[in-house]
């Protein structure tokens, strides 16, 4: 199986298809490299598509120490994939956990990104949700360790922003649950503890987001209540950001609505590659989100 060694010695399994401008797809917590199949089949007709299993996700290595999982490490792993494949710049597309990594990649490695797509990003970011999200991550790690991935898939996999996929595509939903149950329990628990439970809130990164100049597409389903306000925050902070909301959709939007998701991405890529996706026109600047203390004004 093809693998890339990261700079801290972890081997990441990757797959690629097609040729042309590169696109790297970064998966969510409950998914893996296979979750991007509808995108690889579509975009490999015109692009060089790469997807990889994050550390902790078989057949990639599963470090036993949770300290080897973090937001910074997930961001660096994208860079290591590009380095390992000799790719100087790429479009970077992430969903959920992968969306956070893609956003941070745009902040830390802007020179390596043609564009970033932040899809389904923002869970647990709102100050009213942040502490509970961290607590839930620890509880989910305990549940995974105690009861295993099959039980976790049968419970977590039926969450309120997952049932939309079940209603639209029962076969696809069953495949999603089957693949989730196949994940490494150790890797999933460590990802919860080291990455999900420790990642910084987006509301603490407003100044960093305001410095992003990489073309950015933010995508969310309109039934993703936990992240809608965070998506608006990103849109308002990032001068080069556009926001797309997919109607009657939940979290796994690339699987729920692959045609709509692919069309949004394709239009975005074309505009970026034509030099037509720049910073927001200053005449369209949103109302100030900044309070008198220099911090964003947050509704709770």
């Amino acid at each position: 199986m093809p693998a890339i060694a990261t700079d801290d010695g972890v081997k990441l399994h990757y797959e690629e298809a097609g040729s042309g401008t590169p696109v790297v797809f970064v998966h969510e917590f409950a998914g893996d490299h296979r979750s991007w199949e509808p995108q690889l089949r579509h975009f490999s007709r015109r692009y060089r598509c790469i997807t990889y299993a994050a550390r902790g996700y078989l057949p990639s290595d599963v470090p036993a120490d949770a300290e080897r999982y973090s937001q910074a490490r997930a961001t660096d792993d994208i860079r290591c994939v590009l380095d390992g494949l000799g790719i100087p710049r790429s479009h970077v597309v992430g969903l959920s956990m992968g969306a956070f990594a893609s956003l941070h990649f745009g902040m830390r490695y802007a020179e390596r990104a043609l564009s970033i797509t932040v899809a389904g990003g923002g869970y647990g970011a709102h100050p009213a949700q942040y502490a509970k999200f961290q607590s839930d991550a620890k509880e989910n790690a305990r549940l995974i360790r105690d009861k295993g991935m099959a039980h976790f898939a049968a419970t977590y996999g039926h969450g309120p922003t997952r049932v939309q996929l079940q209603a639209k595509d029962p076969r696809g939903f069953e495949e999603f649950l089957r693949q989730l149950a196949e994940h490494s329990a150790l890797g999933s628990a460590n990802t919860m503890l080291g990455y999900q439970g420790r990642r910084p809130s987006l509301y603490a990164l407003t100044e960093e987001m305001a410095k992003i100049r990489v073309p950015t597409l933010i995508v969310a389903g309109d039934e993703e209540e936990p992240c809608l306000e965070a998506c608006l925050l990103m849109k308002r902070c990032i001068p080069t950001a556009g926001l797309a909301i997919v109607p009657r959709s939940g979290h796994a939007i690339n699987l729920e609505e692959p045609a709509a998701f692919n069309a949004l991405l394709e239009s975005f890529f074309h505009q970026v590659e034509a030099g037509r996706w720049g910073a927001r026109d200053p005449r369209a600047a949103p109302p100030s989100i900044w309070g008198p203390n220099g911090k964003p004004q947050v509704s709770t």
Side-chain angles (χ1 to χ4, degrees), residues 195-207:
Y195 184 1
Q196 299 282 78
R198 298 193 300 179
R199 69 189 181 200
S201 168
L202 296 179
Y203 286 76
L205 299 171
T206 52
E207 292 182 11

Side-chain angles (χ1 to χ4, degrees), residues 47-89:
Y47 289 86
R48 180 185 179 187
C49 298
I50 298 105
T51 181
Y52 66 96
R55 61 179 58 212
Y57 290 77
L58 299 171
S60 291
D61 286 351
V62 181
D65 184 358
E67 290 301 314
R68 299 189 70 186
Y69 301 73
S70 68
Q71 177 68 78
R73 188 62 256 177
T75 305
D76 282 342
D77 283 352
I78 299 175
R79 174 182 53 79
C80 289
V81 169
L82 294 181
D83 289 347
L85 294 175
I87 298 172
R89 299 182 73 199

Side-chain angles (χ1 to χ4, degrees), residues 239-279:
T240 52
L243 173 61
I245 301 295
V246 182
R248 300 299 296 268
S249 295
H251 192 49
I253 44 180
N254 69 303
L255 299 177
E256 279 184 48
E257 299 291 351
F261 185 82
N262 292 348
L264 285 168
L265 270 187
E266 195 157 43
S267 175
F268 174 54
F269 291 166
H270 289 174
Q271 291 183 68
V272 170
E273 291 159 10
R276 298 294 301 275
W277 191 287

